[in-house]
Amino acid sequence: MTIEIGSNYLQSNTNLDINPEGTAVVSYLTNGLRSGNNKVPAFMATGNGGWYYRDQLGGSDTEWANIGWQVSQQSPGSYGFNASQGRYYAPISGRYYFYASSYFYCNTNSTNCYMHFMFGLNGNRAFNNGRQPYSIYAHGTPYNHSDGIVHSTNVYLAQGQYMSLKTPWASNNSRVHGNYTLFCGCFLG
């Protein structure tokens, strides 16, 4: 394979791997000039077990470390999810996309039974120009549950920074279901 860059040429008999900052390979170009990104850092963590009350997850405004995370990861450079902490550490610097969902149940149908579903960058909720992007669920719900609670974000992480679920709850009279909890993300570039 020969690639022309200006008046210079790159020639190789093997794949051309792209690895920013000399770390994990995030993309490649084959001899047949096909590109791919099956080595992009990515993870999918699912909760485990039944219902978890706020205090079982560490209390109000804490990271979800105790939900029994089960993790699958992609690429040699994506071993950034720490299941015991519930944190994804960026293996390389760049933009990342994160998504989380769960099933929320409120024991009482009162206005103090709600959750702010959000992420925390290095433990800090205010990572979007000083703002706290979140979704609020089950505030005064008349049906005891708020199914399909979801949140996503696109954020820049420097190598070694981490993202986690960080959700302030109004009280301990509500819960999430571990088997219906998902936290995933991938490197965008």
Side-chain angles (χ1 to χ4, degrees), residues 3-169:
I3 300 173
E4 182 179 353
I5 303 172
S7 61
N8 298 309
Y9 295 90
L10 293 175
Q11 190 166 4
S12 175
N13 293 327
T14 61
N15 292 348
L16 174 65
D17 290 337
I18 301 166
N19 56 337
E21 300 177 9
T23 59
V25 174
V26 297
S27 190
Y28 61 90
L29 190 61
T30 67
N31 280 330
L33 296 180
R34 289 179 300 197
S35 64
N37 63 355
N38 67 342
K39 297 180 180 182
V40 170
F43 77 99
M44 181 179 73
T46 56
N48 190 22
W51 294 105
Y52 291 87
Y53 284 92
R54 175 191 75 183
D55 291 348
Q56 290 175 288
L57 294 176
S60 183
D61 199 25
T62 59
E63 297 169 310
W64 289 23
N66 304 322
I67 201 162
W69 293 113
Q70 297 178 352
V71 186
S72 64
Q73 304 195 55
Q74 174 179 304
S75 96
S78 70
Y79 299 103
F81 192 83
N82 182 309
S84 65
Q85 295 176 325
R87 297 175 177 176
Y88 179 77
Y89 290 88
I92 57 175
S93 299
R95 294 210 72 77
Y96 287 81
Y97 174 77
F98 293 98
Y99 172 89
S101 64
S102 192
Y103 179 86
F104 184 79
Y105 187 87
C106 180
N107 293 344
T108 64
N109 290 326
S110 62
T111 56
N112 72 341
C113 185
Y114 65 90
M115 171 200 294
H116 290 177
F117 201 54
M118 63 180 62
F119 297 107
L121 172 61
N122 291 333
N124 186 356
R125 292 179 296 160
F127 63 85
N128 185 3
N129 294 322
R131 300 190 182 271
Q132 299 178 23
Y134 69 90
S135 301
I136 187 169
Y137 290 96
H139 187 271
T141 182
Y143 304 112
N144 286 92
H145 69 279
S146 182
D147 55 343
I149 62 172
V150 298
H151 196 64
S152 64
T153 193
N154 176 335
V155 64
Y156 179 86
L157 295 179
Q159 186 177 21
Q161 289 186 313
Y162 71 88
M163 185 65 76
S164 61
L165 286 172
K166 191 165 176 66
T167 53
W169 296 20

